[in-house]
Amino acid sequence: MMAKTIAYEEVANMMNEWYGLIKKRKVDESIELKEKIKRMLPHMEQNQDLLLYFNLLDFRNNLLIDDAQRLKIKSRTTVKLEDIQKTDDMIQYYFYFFNGQFEFHNKNYIDAINFYKIAEDKLKKIPDEIEHAEFHYKIAVAYYQIFQNFFSMSHAEKALNSFKSNEQYTYRQMNSELLLALNKVDLLRYKEADQHYENIIKKAQETGDFYTKSLAHHNIGISYEKRGDLLQAESHLLKAIDIPEHRESTNIIRTYYMLSKVCFKSEKTDKALVWYKKAWNLVEENNEDEYRAKLMILDALYNNSHINNIHHAMKYLEKKRLWTDIAELSREIGNHLKNKGNITQAVKYYEHALTAKDELIKMTEALE
């Protein structure tokens, strides 16, 4: 008996539902629905655009899974540009938007923004307000990574205003406000940032979103560390770690690293070494080279390992073009060495910070 042919509209509706789950970061439900759709495809009415849509969503779904499981996806989507050019604006939008997310995932921020800007042109013809909000949020995050704070805040504000209109996306509303706070910390607008964090913690508590609450405490900790209030920094970082959802997330490495750094700066060496070891174990377990390099720098500055380790770690960060981190770390290294009386080496790293900022300017000039 021949299997009944499934109308492509039915499958399209399920794919839209699948994309909704991906945007809400519902990993298990997303995987389950993908498998259901996959079983339907051989019995679906012929529709080439819908098959391309499936492949693009599968690519986006893999980015979600890899992010949740601390993996590093290296393969691009199998969908080819020449196939995309024959489709409608929505499929073309997803192609560029998801490729932007892939580049961001691999820390190629300029490439990510260039993809996003092409996607934005296609987005104009898509009326879905939440899709527009998601786009503004993603490009705001990318601009933040290259110190383009005002561009980042502009897009984050647009995202926040749109997400506020839909209760299903409360978590994205809080994410957008987190991003505004981060930008304002960079701009030394600490009181405004603190107000955002207060709003986020209150909303997260009300909605039971403890992971977002933990992110707020983590970022408040970083804010206080930048202000030199190490006691408050340690307190908020510990509050983040106290939340189980944070300990199970990819951000735990960053928090252990920050606690180690704060405790070293506070001359709480025994505590610092405990957090250092926890961070290092996770770095080794997850092959997290960026934080391996940053921990090597901490070790050289505060734990008497050879100063050449700083040079090797910085070379790795340069190779990955993480100029934002290099600029900040170089300034901190320079301050530390100056306080130790090593003026010659301090000047070298102050100059390195300036070079990194020049590279950031060149990166922004590379935006098409």
Side-chain angles (χ1 to χ4, degrees):
M1 185 176 176
M2 279 183 64
K4 179 187 172 186
T5 301
I6 301 169
Y8 69 80
E9 291 91 348
E10 181 183 344
V11 181
N13 287 335
M14 290 179 71
M15 286 191 194
N16 291 335
E17 183 185 345
W18 179 23
Y19 184 40
L21 293 172
I22 292 169
K23 286 193 284 189
K24 292 172 187 172
R25 299 185 64 81
K26 295 188 175 180
V27 180
D28 293 339
E29 292 175 49
S30 168
I31 292 169
E32 185 179 338
L33 187 54
K34 172 200 162 178
E35 291 306 316
K36 186 176 179 181
I37 294 168
K38 200 173 177 182
R39 289 192 295 271
M40 295 171 73
L41 290 179
H43 310 291
M44 183 187 76
E45 291 174 351
Q46 283 293 318
N47 188 304
Q48 193 61 34
D49 284 2
L50 212 56
L51 292 174
L52 289 171
Y53 185 30
F54 175 85
N55 286 329
L56 287 169
L57 288 182
D58 192 28
F59 173 55
R60 177 65 184 90
N61 196 52
N62 287 337
L63 287 172
L64 170 65
I65 294 165
D66 287 358
D67 185 45
Q69 296 177 356
R70 301 179 187 168
L71 301 174
K72 292 178 182 175
I73 183 170
K74 295 295 181 187
S75 57
R76 291 179 175 276
T77 173
T78 56
V79 176
K80 294 185 173 73
L81 179 59
E82 54 264 34
D83 294 330
I84 286 297
Q85 288 169 338
K86 303 168 190 172
T87 63
D88 61 22
D89 287 301
M90 187 186 80
I91 300 291
Q92 290 182 41
Y93 165 73
Y94 289 138
F95 175 80
Y96 291 111
F97 188 42
F98 295 164
N99 271 291
Q101 290 175 57
F102 170 81
E103 295 297 348
F104 181 89
H105 190 77
N106 287 295
K107 302 187 178 178
N108 300 320
Y109 303 125
I110 296 299
D111 292 338
I113 291 169
N114 282 329
F115 271 118
Y116 287 152
K117 287 169 78 174
I118 301 171
E120 187 172 19
D121 188 55
K122 309 296 178 185
L123 181 63
K124 292 171 187 173
K125 298 178 183 177
I126 299 172
D128 184 347
E129 184 181 7
I130 292 301
E131 193 60 50
H132 282 251
E134 187 73 9
F135 169 82
H136 286 299
Y137 174 73
K138 291 290 188 183
I139 197 169
V141 175
Y143 274 125
Y144 169 74
Q145 291 293 340
I146 59 167
F147 271 153
Q148 293 295 299
N149 300 106
F150 293 105
F151 281 120
S152 180
M153 286 194 295
S154 173
H155 286 284
E157 286 280 7
K158 289 175 184 175
L160 178 60
N161 291 334
S162 292
F163 285 129
K164 275 181 177 177
S165 67
N166 193 315
E167 289 182 7
Q168 292 184 56
Y169 290 91
T170 303
Y171 79 103
R172 266 295 189 241
Q173 178 186 327
M174 291 187 286
N175 289 162
S176 301
E177 196 154 8
L178 270 173
L179 192 51
L180 285 169
L182 286 167
N183 277 292
K184 288 176 182 180
V185 167
D186 279 358
L187 296 168
L188 310 182
R189 290 157 59 175
Y190 294 120
K191 284 186 179 179
E192 292 176 48
D194 288 344
Q195 185 58 61
H196 285 303
Y197 287 132
E198 191 178 310
N199 296 342
I200 294 158
I201 289 171
K202 183 182 176 184
K203 177 72 76 175
Q205 190 67 39
E206 288 171 355
T207 58
D209 187 346
F210 299 112
Y211 175 63
T212 300
K213 182 180 177 181
S214 77
L215 284 182
H217 282 300
H218 170 91
N219 290 328
I220 294 167
I222 293 174
S223 171
Y224 275 116
E225 188 265 340
K226 286 184 176 181
R227 294 182 233 186
D229 190 338
L230 300 176
L231 195 61
Q232 283 280 18
E234 183 182 1
S235 171
H236 282 281
L237 291 166
L238 288 170
K239 284 178 183 176
I241 282 176
D242 281 343
I243 296 172
E245 288 86 347
H246 193 79
R247 294 196 299 273
E248 293 162 8
S249 77
T250 55
N251 283 298
I252 192 62
I253 295 176
R254 295 169 60 211
T255 310
Y256 286 156
Y257 162 77
M258 283 304 303
L259 269 166
S260 179
K261 182 179 180 182
V262 165
C263 289
F264 272 130
K265 282 185 165 185
S266 305
E267 299 183 351
K268 299 175 182 177
T269 305
D270 290 343
K271 276 187 178 181
L273 290 172
V274 169
W275 298 120
Y276 182 95
K277 187 174 180 182
K278 284 179 179 287
W280 189 264
N281 288 342
L282 279 176
V283 158
E284 292 293 292
E285 184 182 322
N286 296 286
N287 198 27
E288 178 52 77
D289 290 332
E290 178 187 336
Y291 276 89
R292 181 182 285 113
K294 290 178 179 180
L295 287 165
M296 284 171 63
I297 292 169
L298 278 189
D299 196 37
L301 290 177
Y302 298 102
N303 201 33
N304 299 318
S305 72
H306 203 285
I307 198 163
N308 279 348
N309 286 345
I310 296 177
H311 175 74
H312 294 311
M314 286 300 229
K315 281 294 178 189
Y316 171 77
L317 297 175
E318 286 173 20
K319 180 183 171 186
K320 299 301 289 182
R321 298 191 302 163
L322 299 175
W323 298 112
T324 304
D325 289 325
I326 292 165
E328 190 170 327
L329 286 167
S330 295
R331 181 180 52 79
E332 289 183 7
I333 293 164
N335 288 342
H336 181 82
L337 293 171
K338 183 185 76 173
N339 292 338
K340 291 286 184 181
N342 192 340
I343 303 301
T344 303
Q345 285 291 322
V347 169
K348 173 186 166 184
Y349 280 100
Y350 287 140
E351 289 174 348
H352 206 50
L354 293 173
T355 301
K357 288 188 175 179
D358 286 343
E359 291 295 334
L360 277 170
I361 292 167
K362 287 178 189 174
M363 281 175 69
T364 57
E365 288 171 351
L367 288 171
E368 295 173 0

